[in-house]
Amino acid sequence: MPNTLIFVDMPADDPAAAGRFYAEVFGWRDDHKPEGVYHRMVPGGMFPNPDGSDSAIGNLHLGIFDPANARPHPESDGVEPRAIATQGRKPRIWILIGDDDTPERILSAAEARGATVLWRDHFWGTFNGLNHAFRDPWGNEIVLWGKAGDPPKIPEGYTRE
């Protein structure tokens, strides 16, 4: 069995507020462990089988940690750096848009809660996806990925690469 990605963490200087943000924008369950220190965002559901039925593999979770004392760590007081990175490129988190949701609703909900829309309406042929992106109030970049279909159906006005 290969090494398996099971979790991705992102920083927020207010994990409780970030947990509420993602629960409200995406409808995920916010498990605080403990509240304000580390929040596990649980999207629910299972990865689909090729026939569309649920597989035995649960969707990946997203962790939100406080950079002032990133847990877990062997040092009880944590270590430097203790601030969110504000300059340059950072990891981006890709979210597959559910079949019963829209990028417009997600971007609107995120923006209403303090996010900044980075771009809308872009087709990336390499992965056959319709992409949109926002920066959350803590500086994390979220890229939305929608299925373009086979053959791809690219809406009018989309940029392409």
Side-chain angles (χ1 to χ4, degrees):
M1 177 162 177
N3 296 317
T4 304
L5 175 66
I6 59 167
F7 228 79
V8 174
D9 283 349
M10 64 184 186
D13 56 10
D14 187 345
R20 284 189 302 277
F21 176 91
Y22 283 96
E24 293 169 358
V25 170
F26 290 113
W28 297 341
R29 189 176 79 228
D30 178 8
D31 288 346
H32 33 87
K33 301 195 172 278
E35 184 162 355
V37 175
Y38 191 88
H39 287 242
R40 178 181 69 173
M41 304 311 299
V42 182
M46 308 300 268
F47 278 102
N49 289 313
D51 68 1
S53 64
D54 284 346
S55 74
I57 302 167
N59 285 320
L60 298 176
H61 298 171
L62 175 71
I64 302 171
F65 70 95
D66 186 346
N69 189 356
R71 308 308 315 153
H73 194 279
E75 300 290 331
S76 61
D77 293 332
V79 295
E80 297 294 335
R82 295 179 186 277
I84 295 172
T86 58
Q87 300 299 314
R89 290 280 180 208
K90 296 181 267 180
R92 298 181 302 174
I93 310 297
W94 289 70
I95 307 296
L96 175 63
I97 301 166
D99 292 339
D100 60 347
D101 208 345
T102 67
E104 295 81 14
R105 191 217 53 85
I106 294 168
L107 292 172
S108 176
E111 200 168 29
R113 290 160 178 82
T116 301
V117 173
L118 299 174
W119 79 79
R120 300 173 188 265
D121 305 339
H122 181 70
F123 172 71
W124 191 15
T126 301
F127 290 100
N128 193 27
L130 306 172
N131 303 138
H132 320 266
F134 66 85
R135 183 179 298 115
D136 75 12
W138 301 274
N140 300 296
E141 292 186 14
I142 309 300
V143 181
L144 305 176
W145 187 84
K147 301 170 189 171
D150 184 24
K153 294 184 180 88
I154 306 162
E156 183 74 29
Y158 270 57
T159 55
R160 302 168 186 233
E161 73 177 283

